[in-house]
Amino acid sequence: MNNKISLTSKICLAAIFMVLATICQKVLAINYIPIIPFLRISLGGPAIIIFSSILLGPWFGLLVGAGSDILGYFIFDPKNNAFFPQITAIYALLGFASFFIFLLVKKLFGEKIIKFVFPTFLALAFIAITLVVWLVPELHLYGGTYNLVLWQKITITASLLVLSAVLLVFIILYAKKNQQINVYKIAFSLFLIEVLIMVMFGTLMKGLAFGFATYPMILLCQIIVLFVNIPLNTVLITLLTNIIKKRNIYCPII
């Protein structure tokens, strides 16, 4: 029989996850273009928030997600930076909804279905970003206007096509290496989380925070980050899942 986590242990683990997520999102985050805060790769932050939701439940996940963003703002952000509750809402929903998305995938999707659906959804994401790159004439950010020239559009499209292929190959090979864990279900759940929460809801919230003229730019950056977050989060959550399985800890999702 698996060992259930007590309420006291859940509170302690939530505090630990909150601190770890804060450090990952603020200290270990990578900004490729400093003037565009939307293009950010957080090395493990989202994965920790998602895993806290899976292991501890949606309400603790919400606490970890919202708390890590608020804590990170007051500790690491410059004092002259404004606080945006819309950004906190993104991470709160990430912590809350991840539990239900994993549960939904576990109950409704078999591995054979996911092997077909996952590449299909990935192709739709590629088509969406390609349409933004080629059809939106101007990208606005902080009062500035950016126009992508032909070579930039071709480079972005080709790069994302390569990333899509690499992502699929990675999931296939990683699933073969970790046959005791259903890597396909983890990767597909993370894909849905990225699309529904980080891309759709996250872009909407950032549009509310920074102005809807920036919406295409934010959408472009969020979808680019998706191709990095999925393999990174898949590895981290698979590793954490292996740990709790070896320790015989009860988890309602995995």
Side-chain angles (χ1 to χ4, degrees):
M1 181 180 292
N2 290 336
N3 301 315
K4 289 190 176 182
I5 305 174
S6 66
L7 179 60
T8 302
S9 298
K10 285 186 176 182
I11 294 172
C12 293
L13 285 171
I16 294 171
F17 287 145
M18 190 183 301
V19 172
L20 289 175
T22 301
I23 294 172
C24 289
Q25 292 186 124
K26 296 298 181 180
V27 179
L28 301 180
I30 299 173
N31 291 297
Y32 288 108
I33 307 175
I35 64 170
I36 304 179
F38 316 116
L39 190 55
R40 171 181 290 183
I41 306 296
S42 175
L43 301 179
I48 292 172
I49 296 172
I50 293 167
F51 185 73
S52 69
S53 180
I54 296 169
L55 181 62
L56 306 178
W59 293 108
F60 280 101
L62 184 150
L63 177 65
V64 171
S68 63
D69 185 69
I70 295 171
L71 189 64
Y73 170 77
F74 284 107
I75 294 178
F76 295 105
D77 285 359
K79 298 300 181 182
N80 58 344
N81 278 8
F83 174 73
F84 294 102
Q86 299 94 329
I87 308 301
T88 304
I90 298 171
Y91 293 102
L93 183 63
L94 178 66
F96 182 77
S98 294
F99 177 90
F100 298 103
I101 292 175
F102 265 83
L103 184 63
L104 183 70
V105 171
K106 178 182 178 181
K107 290 190 173 183
L108 297 184
F109 293 92
E111 186 170 323
K112 291 183 179 180
I113 296 176
I114 291 177
K115 286 181 179 180
F116 170 76
V117 172
F118 183 65
T120 303
F121 279 34
L122 190 61
L124 292 176
F126 170 76
I127 292 171
I129 195 170
T130 302
L131 291 175
V132 172
V133 169
W134 287 91
L135 298 182
V136 177
E138 296 178 342
L139 299 175
H140 300 275
L141 186 64
Y142 298 149
T145 301
Y146 300 83
N147 295 291
L148 296 176
V149 297
L150 181 60
W151 73 267
Q152 291 174 321
K153 294 180 179 181
I154 294 174
T155 301
I156 292 173
T157 304
S159 299
L160 289 177
L161 184 61
V162 172
L163 283 173
S164 300
V166 169
L167 177 55
L168 283 176
V169 172
F170 166 81
I171 296 300
I172 293 170
L173 295 178
Y174 196 65
K176 289 182 178 180
K177 184 179 178 181
N178 297 271
Q179 295 184 357
Q180 294 182 345
I181 303 293
N182 197 323
V183 175
Y184 286 103
K185 285 194 175 183
I186 292 177
F188 183 59
S189 299
L190 292 172
F191 178 84
L192 293 179
I193 289 169
E194 284 290 325
V195 172
L196 296 175
I197 299 174
M198 305 308 290
V199 175
M200 297 176 66
F201 182 76
T203 302
L204 176 62
M205 289 296 102
K206 290 180 180 179
L208 288 171
F210 301 104
F212 279 100
T214 65
Y215 193 93
M217 175 71 84
I218 300 171
L219 180 63
L220 176 64
C221 294
Q222 290 291 161
I223 298 179
I224 291 173
V225 171
L226 174 149
F227 288 92
V228 179
N229 277 351
I230 292 176
L232 178 63
N233 293 345
T234 299
V235 171
L236 290 174
I237 291 179
T238 301
L239 291 174
L240 292 170
T241 300
N242 276 319
I243 291 173
I244 65 172
K245 277 186 171 291
K246 288 179 180 179
R247 293 183 177 273
N248 204 32
I249 297 174
Y250 173 74
C251 180
I253 302 301
I254 305 298

